[in-house]
Amino acid sequence: MLSTTGAPESEPLDVSGKAGPPVSIRGLLHAFGDLLALDGIDLEVPGAGVLGIVGPSGCGKSTLLEVASGLLEPSAGRVSVGEAADAPSRTPAGERLARCALMPQRDLLLPWLAAIDNAALGPSLAGASREAARERARADFNRLGLGGFELAKPQELSGGMRQRVAFLRTLISGKQVLLLDEPFASLDAITRAETQAWLAGVLAQDSHTVLLVTHDVEEALYLSDRVAVLTARPARVAATLDVPEPRSPDRAAAVTAADFVELRERALRLLAGGAR
Amino acid sequence: MSARARDVAAPALLFVALIGLWEVAAQTGVLADVLLTEQGAGGGGDAEFLVPAPSDIADALWNDRDLLAEDAWVTLREVVLGFALALVSGLALAVLIHLSKTTRRAVYPLLVASQTIPIVVLAPILVVWFGFGIFPKLLIIALICFFPITVNAYDGLRSVDPDLLKMMRTLGAGRGQTLRRAELPWALPFIFSGAKIAVAVAVIGAVFAEWAGADSGLGHLILVSSGELSTSLTFAAIVVLSAIAICLFALLALVERRVVTWKEGPSS
């Protein structure tokens, strides 16, 4: 379904020496009224790095991304996006909004726009003409297996296709930091694996900094340089796991490598609240 | 018989049956008898001026077709222009009270109050102020029409999925862009609902407006013909008036089906 044209899927993930805004979160606390959602989160993502975030459902992962994106101001703590890595300062919410693209769990496609116009919403809002905006989306449309559905309305697409359109909307929004909230949750296993491989290629190719929230440990480990495991609400960072480099270019080989499997077991034990 | 044919056949049959019943009752003088007995005036006999039969109305429709067409054109123009005025001002007002809380607090009570003004009383005053021309008629029609448009449009604008607004913010949309690209399209089904209600009552507004002072139009014709006991012509004018309302309503429904191709907002 996914063609490999142009996407260097065969390259191992290697983020060294690439520019990209770093993200630094320190002592982040957020409460909704009396309900404490985030309880002192510390996370560091180097420029162009990919941080996976896994945690039990309802632990506050989505809140964490909303805070990072600038939609929410945290109750306490410091969030910096794209500030000098050696002395990161607090980034105001407006600046965070300008630097981050958030892909929410719901696809939120506009039912009155064709699929490609939904994907190209970012450039279009930035002032690009409809044709220019569509041009930005067209190549990736094919690569994501959406070729031929450019002019389909969202309600004519399957759940998986809708999610891919929403992902594309985030990717080409022109922001350097991608905050992905369960981006592939509604894809079937095969499409999901293919899309992960495609994303790994995209991330290796460019300099996006990514925070990837998922409940799928394998997905987090495969796509990320480092994975933070959160506790149940209120969320704290239980552990941060470094994913060994380099990974095999072949996804199937990568996720069955001995060290990968071992890491996955460790992450799952941490999620279950067991011993480290 | 297909379900679609049944959908059309049932109301058509009922309509024809009712018309037939009316025809018989009017032709035999039963209706007039009943009405006159009520008033203690004895039998009515063949009182066409009292209760015209559907065939009499059809005759009037045909015989006075030039007159009816002329007056229908006058009223149609008033209704369409008055409705357009209400649509533009109603939408503008809805956007305004949606965007500004202060405006909303200030204007909303006045908006509701404007609907308690008895149009029948206001109409002659407007005629005194602005004369016999089309302007006071447009004002009265617009006054009746803008309320359902404004209220529905505002309800639509504020019912937008909050997650959608967040998404627009993260994509860097400004206030105007969010309004134009997300909120207004979202509100379109609501706006159409308001417009369809408005266009149906617009015709009543036109009749009131013409009664207050006019020298043409279907409302004027109804007033004059009933004064002359040309009841068939009165009913014929009412038939044309209904036809105008139904056509405008159907036209809006058609446009709505063309424009609003989605069922609900963004899902999943």
Side-chain angles (χ1 to χ4, degrees), chain B residues 71 75 206-208 210-211 214 216-224 237 241:
Chain B
D71 283 325
T75 302
V207 170
F208 279 144
E210 287 175 11
W211 281 6
S216 59
L218 288 172
H220 173 256
L221 182 63
I222 288 170
L223 198 65
V224 171
L241 208 55

Side-chain angles (χ1 to χ4, degrees), chain A residues 63-257:
Chain A
T63 307
L64 178 60
L65 287 196
E66 286 206 355
V67 169
S69 74
L71 284 173
L72 267 181
E73 269 304 9
S75 309
R78 192 207 63 202
V79 182
S80 58
V81 175
E83 312 289 348
D86 41 347
S89 58
R90 183 189 307 271
T91 312
E95 281 298 306
R96 299 210 298 278
L97 272 174
R99 290 170 193 174
C100 298
L102 173 69
M103 178 183 174
Q105 272 183 40
R106 298 171 59 208
D107 58 58
L108 295 170
L109 299 181
L110 301 176
W112 48 86
L113 289 186
I116 194 161
D117 294 324
N118 265 294
L121 194 54
S124 168
L125 287 170
S129 73
R130 189 160 87 162
E131 264 322 300
R134 283 181 170 185
E135 211 40 60
R136 288 281 309 278
R138 215 178 298 273
D140 287 327
F141 234 72
N142 288 325
R143 227 175 298 166
L144 270 178
L146 293 165
F149 288 92
E150 285 83 355
L151 298 180
K153 288 288 162 60
Q155 53 272 34
E156 294 159 10
L157 302 179
S158 72
M161 294 173 107
R162 294 172 61 111
Q163 214 166 18
R164 277 175 276 166
V165 173
F167 174 72
L168 204 50
R169 179 181 62 197
T170 315
L171 186 68
I172 62 175
S173 64
K175 312 291 179 64
Q176 280 305 299
V177 179
L178 303 182
L179 309 171
L180 310 176
D181 195 351
E182 304 272 9
F184 308 128
S186 62
L187 299 187
D188 62 84
I190 295 170
T191 316
R192 191 180 173 111
E194 285 175 337
T195 311
Q196 286 170 0
W198 173 82
L199 179 60
V202 169
L203 295 181
Q205 197 177 19
D206 67 17
S207 57
H208 282 113
T209 305
V210 180
L211 271 70
L212 169 73
V213 159
T214 173
H215 64 264
D216 181 342
V217 171
E218 185 177 287
E219 178 173 285
L221 290 171
Y222 173 63
L223 287 171
S224 317
D225 315 318
R226 193 184 285 167
V227 173
V229 182
L230 302 186
T231 64
R233 198 179 61 222
R236 283 184 216 96
V237 179
T240 313
L241 308 174
D242 281 311
V243 183
E245 298 279 351
R247 257 160 290 173
S248 163
D250 177 48
R251 184 184 177 280
V255 300
T256 49

Side-chain angles (χ1 to χ4, degrees), chain B residues 120-146:
Chain B
V120 195
V121 178
L122 185 68
I125 299 174
L126 287 180
V127 170
V128 171
W129 288 354
F130 300 111
F132 268 48
I134 195 172
F135 185 63
K137 293 164 186 78
L138 298 191
L139 276 188
I140 287 164
I141 295 170
L143 188 66
I144 289 188
C145 286
F146 94 103

